[in-house]
Amino acid sequence: MDSPITIRLGARARQRIAAEGLQASDIAIIPAAAGGPKGLILNGIDTWLFGDWLPRAPRERQLIGASIGAWRMAAGAFADPVAAHKRLAYHYTHQTYPARVDSAYVTRTVRGLLEEVLAGHGHEVIAHPHHRVTVITARGIGPLANAGGVRWRELAGFLRAAAGNAVSRSRLARGMERVLFHDARDEGGWLRERFDAFASRFVALGLDNLRDALLASGSIPLVLEAVRDIAGAPPGAYWDGGLIDYHLHLPYQRDPGLVLYPHFTDYIVPGWLDKSLPWRRAPAQSGHLALENVILVSPSPSFVARLPNRKLPDRNDFKRYGQDHAARIRDWTYAIGESERMAEALAGWAEKPDLALASAF
């Protein structure tokens, strides 16, 4: 049977694994992409990674994510990460919405979902002995500085941002900046030196802003309301971190360790607005050397072909299934169960890496 996973290796990662094999102690950074329900397909890997493999070799690690990726990384930093990841998968899957819904309703629902996931354990994310969580958000500046809360301004601002981004990501940087809510014990040195067109601000993550940072990181414009004036952060409107960092094309090469990146696809798109621009995919764009120490693990085409509708769960399923919530929940739950096959395959490969099975970036 075909493998349920696809593995891609950067040049430095391949060389190191060829010489030394792969140990949990090698992993310094774990990124997690935005992508909504697509992230559910990584639940099996997440529970194995944080519940079994990484605890074998405790060390300081950077867990960085946007949108559902930020939620996944926060779950990985709980004292019981397996229970946290199971709560996340369950409550995310069991979201339901009426046929007609506004952004205020969606925001209340998602905030309630977040409370179910945190379940009173938010302090564990802040105080984990080894894991250092970073939550990526996008703060409106320029024409988007005052758009949050006024729908027509928000719509106009994001239409303008999308048009500018189609020309250049540097134009998108005129309308938003990256704000990283990071563990106060970690200065995030590998991210401090500017690496793209976007200004980056750093805010210490604490109990006073954890919920708002996580909510903002997944607040899709026009679908959810912007989160405003987060404690400790510059005033303004905050939206989904995936707007700037959809698949987290970050300067990983600055860290001497390896980056283990469980992902829902085998390529990296910088920003959410770049999805329809194939020339923006790494390594087609310049700067792909950032991936030289990355191990990218994703579901294989044959694995995806066996899922309901022959695809990963995605946000369009809310429209596809409409008010047949039971059918969507059934199919998403099936996909999550199947994700355990991905975890088993990755565990086997990590134990005895076969480089012939891994392609290059």
Side-chain angles (χ1 to χ4, degrees):
M1 182 179 292
D2 294 338
S3 174
I5 59 173
T6 295
I7 299 174
R8 300 187 73 175
L9 300 176
R12 175 151 55 102
R14 180 178 289 273
Q15 292 168 1
R16 182 161 172 175
I17 294 170
E20 305 173 16
L22 179 63
Q23 292 81 39
S25 58
D26 297 330
I27 306 304
I29 301 172
I30 301 173
K38 295 184 184 74
L40 296 173
I41 206 61
L42 301 170
N43 184 255
I45 288 179
D46 286 340
T47 54
W48 166 76
L49 188 63
F50 292 105
D52 180 5
W53 197 55
L54 294 180
R56 301 179 195 179
R59 56 161 289 179
E60 185 171 310
R61 291 188 175 91
Q62 317 302 318
L63 314 184
I64 182 166
S67 194
I68 193 173
W71 291 36
R72 289 173 45 227
M73 294 301 95
F78 279 51
D80 187 345
V82 173
H85 279 289
K86 288 182 177 179
R87 282 199 306 275
L88 173 56
Y90 178 85
H91 290 292
Y92 198 104
T93 297
H94 283 76
Q95 294 177 81
T96 59
Y97 296 94
R100 292 185 178 274
V101 66
D102 60 15
S103 58
Y105 186 99
V106 179
T107 300
R108 289 194 301 272
T109 302
V110 174
R111 190 178 283 276
L113 162 62
L114 177 59
E115 290 301 328
E116 293 285 358
V117 174
L118 291 174
H121 295 274
H123 62 283
E124 297 171 2
V125 177
I126 308 300
H128 194 282
H130 308 295
H131 295 161
R132 307 291 183 255
V133 173
T134 297
V135 177
I136 304 176
T137 66
R139 174 177 175 261
I141 59 175
L144 284 172
N146 298 309
V150 181
R151 187 173 179 83
W152 71 265
R153 287 182 180 173
E154 190 171 326
L155 177 59
F158 279 105
L159 286 174
R160 181 175 176 179
N165 182 75
V167 177
S168 168
R169 268 176 61 84
S170 63
R171 293 198 179 188
L172 183 64
R174 300 173 187 174
M176 60 189 72
E177 65 181 6
R178 177 187 290 115
V179 179
L180 302 107
F181 292 84
H182 67 101
D183 192 302
R185 299 166 296 179
D186 167 43
E187 294 185 355
W190 64 288
L191 290 169
R192 293 268 177 178
E193 184 179 343
R194 193 158 183 158
F195 58 90
D196 63 9
F198 296 88
S200 295
R201 294 177 181 255
F202 293 78
V203 177
L205 191 63
L207 286 178
D208 60 341
N209 59 24
L210 174 65
R211 287 167 172 77
D212 280 347
L214 288 170
L215 180 62
S217 190
S219 291
I220 303 167
L222 304 172
V223 177
L224 280 81
E225 297 174 328
V227 179
R228 298 194 63 86
D229 302 336
I230 302 176
Y238 290 76
W239 283 282
D240 197 314
L243 289 167
I244 298 174
D245 297 300
Y246 184 43
H247 291 176
L248 280 67
H249 191 243
L250 304 176
Y252 302 114
Q253 82 281 7
R254 294 176 180 174
D255 195 289
L258 296 182
V259 178
L260 179 58
Y261 190 171
H263 193 16
F264 49 77
T265 189
D266 68 346
Y267 56 82
I268 292 177
V269 175
W272 187 80
L273 293 169
D274 301 319
K275 291 191 297 181
S276 61
L277 309 176
W279 58 89
R280 296 271 174 91
R281 294 180 182 180
Q285 58 168 330
S286 62
H288 65 273
L289 291 179
L291 307 178
E292 66 179 11
N293 56 335
V294 171
I295 305 165
L296 187 77
V297 182
S298 60
S300 68
S302 61
F303 173 85
V304 174
R306 295 186 179 97
L307 297 179
N309 305 310
R310 301 176 64 85
K311 68 174 190 61
L312 302 180
D314 63 46
R315 196 159 58 90
N316 289 329
D317 286 341
F318 286 110
K319 292 183 178 179
R320 174 192 289 265
Y321 290 89
Q323 293 301 291
D324 192 354
H325 304 304
R328 178 185 55 78
I329 291 169
R330 177 199 66 214
D331 289 348
W332 283 15
T333 301
Y334 178 84
I336 292 167
E338 285 293 282
S339 74
E340 294 179 8
R341 294 201 295 117
M342 293 174 59
E344 292 170 1
L346 179 56
W349 191 87
E351 184 71 23
K352 190 176 181 180
D354 184 350
L355 296 181
L357 300 178
S359 60
F361 282 109

